[in-house]
Amino acid sequence: MRGRKRNTASNDPFIQSAIEQFRVHLRALREGHDLTRLELSRRANIALSTLEYYEYGHTKPSFEALLALCKTFEISPNELLCWERLSSLIKAAS
């Protein structure tokens, strides 16, 4: 990725927390479904390296990737993004 800027986390603590929760939850979902990264990348039609970047927290998923993962795991975006936990962080911060 020489010369290209990665789609990395912002300095906003809420965004950083959301990305951390997403990456941990994504790995747990994948492992809970007994899928390798390669199997999940094929099922969701996401490049293996991109999926690895998501799990390592190096990049944020696109809207299309989020929907593909939701479809693959048959869950809502709220479930994938752990929205209940995130919304409690928002309330605590305000």
Side-chain angles (χ1 to χ4, degrees):
M1 294 187 85
R2 214 176 303 151
R4 288 177 50 196
K5 191 173 181 179
R6 286 188 188 169
N7 184 12
T8 55
S10 73
N11 292 328
D12 183 321
F14 173 75
I15 300 295
Q16 290 175 343
S17 177
I19 291 169
E20 177 65 15
Q21 287 185 42
F22 169 75
R23 73 168 202 86
V24 169
H25 189 56
L26 177 61
R27 182 176 181 171
L29 282 168
R30 178 180 59 76
E31 290 175 346
H33 284 79
D34 279 335
L35 296 172
T36 64
R37 287 187 186 105
L38 180 60
E39 290 168 329
L40 178 56
S41 74
R42 287 180 176 163
R43 288 185 187 188
N45 198 27
I46 296 172
L48 177 59
S49 60
T50 301
L51 186 61
E52 289 171 340
Y53 275 23
Y54 296 161
E55 285 195 9
Y56 297 141
H58 294 307
T59 192
K60 298 176 277 189
S62 68
F63 183 73
E64 292 83 0
L66 287 173
L67 293 179
L69 291 167
C70 288
K71 183 177 178 184
T72 301
F73 289 123
E74 298 180 344
I75 60 175
S76 73
N78 285 351
E79 291 173 279
L80 181 62
L81 297 173
C82 306
W83 186 249
E84 285 188 23
R85 275 188 255 159
L86 291 175
S87 62
S88 66
L89 288 175
I90 293 170
K91 290 176 186 171
S94 53

